[in-house]
């Protein structure tokens, strides 16, 4: 049967969310609405006799960075070489860039063979955050992230991500099903976080903060928007205060993936990165 690789359309992005959910990755219910405008040509499907059987995203950021996600082959056709074909199409699209991905445990050796190296692990901590505790965030006020001038928010986001991603960020905070908060002190941003609904635990990401007290205030502020619900945060284990905070909030590990790059680890503010935005787009 003929096999071809095509660029996904907006309708296909919903298919990616379904597949990711079936893999147990718990994607956001409307993440595709932010993903697609980030790089509309960056989502690829492998089709067997016209039916989609494999996928990958290869999203370009700026002139020098790219991120691979949604690398999925349907269970009924695994081991037949279709997945590696979409993988090669993705890496070709990002040729010449430093490429990142979040690799699940059973695929990390394959990624190493493709030139990726581990920078840290993202550990998903999940649960209902404890409501009590004083975290040393006095003087910080929480506000709706949509009320912040966008240029200010985008510049802050850039501290924690290898390139500016304005189109993504505007969609990410603008979707009606999510809540974004900023932590402000003396007119300056000291934190930013957002929560979004998923089929399982609501996901918090990103989670940026100038310290654990600010991060805790943001988590509790977002948890109040989904009272009593489970939340999940993908915490970089290289940030030990972030790991300790997740544990202090009563969250427990449920999943992990290795952040890997083909080039040098990007120069971002890891000390302020308490939770990554997305395993699919970085």
């Amino acid at each position: 049967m003929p096999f071809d690789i095509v660029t996904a359309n907006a309708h296909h992005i919903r298919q990616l969310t379904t597949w990711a959910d079936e893999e147990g990755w718990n994607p956001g219910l409307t993440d595709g609405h932010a993903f697609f405008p980030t790089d509309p040509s960056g989502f690829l499907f492998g089709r067997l006799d016209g039916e989609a059987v494999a996928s990958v995203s290869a999203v370009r950021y700026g002139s020098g960075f790219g991120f691979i996600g949604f690398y999925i082959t349907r269970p009924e056709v695994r081991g037949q070489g279709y997945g590696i074909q979409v993988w090669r199409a993705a890496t070709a699209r990002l040729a010449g860039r430093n490429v990142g991905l979040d690799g699940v445990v059973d695929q990390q050796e394959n990624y190493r063979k493709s030139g990726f190296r581990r920078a840290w692990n993202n550990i998903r901590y999940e649960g209902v955050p404890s409501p009590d505790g004083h975290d040393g965030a006095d003087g910080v006020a929480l506000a709706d992230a949509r009320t912040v001038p966008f240029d200010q928010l985008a510049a802050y986001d850039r501290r924690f991500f290898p390139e500016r991603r304005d189109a993504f960020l505007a969609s990410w905070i603008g979707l009606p099903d999510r809540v974004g908060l900023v932590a402000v002190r003396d007119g300056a941003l000291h934190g930013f976080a957002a929560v979004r609904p998923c089929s399982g635990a609501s996901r918090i990401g990103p989670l940026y903060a100038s310290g654990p007290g600010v991060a805790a205030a943001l988590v509790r502020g977002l948890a109040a928007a989904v009272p009593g619900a489970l939340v999940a945060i993908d915490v970089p284990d290289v940030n030990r205060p972030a790991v300790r905070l997740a544990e202090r909030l009563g969250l427990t590990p449920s999943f992990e993936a290795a952040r890997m790059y083909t080039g040098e680890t990007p120069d971002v503010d890891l000390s302020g990165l308490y939770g990554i935005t997305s395993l699919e787009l970085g």
Side-chain angles (χ1 to χ4, degrees), residues 42 52 68 118 146 154:
I68 288 178
R118 177 188 171 278
R146 300 175 195 182

Side-chain angles (χ1 to χ4, degrees), residues 225-278:
V226 287
L230 293 173
V231 300
I233 311 169
D234 293 310
V235 179
D237 66 356
V238 71
N239 185 343
R240 298 308 300 169
V243 172
R244 290 192 292 269
L245 173 63
E247 294 169 347
R248 194 167 74 245
L249 289 170
L251 309 181
T252 56
S254 62
F255 176 82
E256 70 175 74
R259 174 59 59 89
M260 308 178 81
Y261 296 102
T262 55
E264 294 296 319
T265 300
D267 183 15
V268 298
D269 182 4
L270 288 172
S271 67
L273 182 58
Y274 281 72
I276 66 163
T277 305
S278 159

Side-chain angles (χ1 to χ4, degrees), residues 8 26 28 45 67 78 122 153-154 157 180 197 202 205 215 217-218 253 257 260 274:
N26 193 31
F45 269 111
F67 204 87
R78 287 177 184 168
N122 290 314
L153 189 65
D157 179 74
S202 295
L218 286 165
M260 308 178 81
Y274 281 72

Side-chain angles (χ1 to χ4, degrees), residues 25-52:
W25 298 347
N26 193 31
L29 298 181
T30 62
D31 282 0
H33 296 300
F35 290 166
F36 188 66
T38 302
D39 183 357
S41 298
F43 300 85
L44 308 177
F45 269 111
R47 302 186 305 181
L48 186 61
D49 201 22
E51 180 181 355

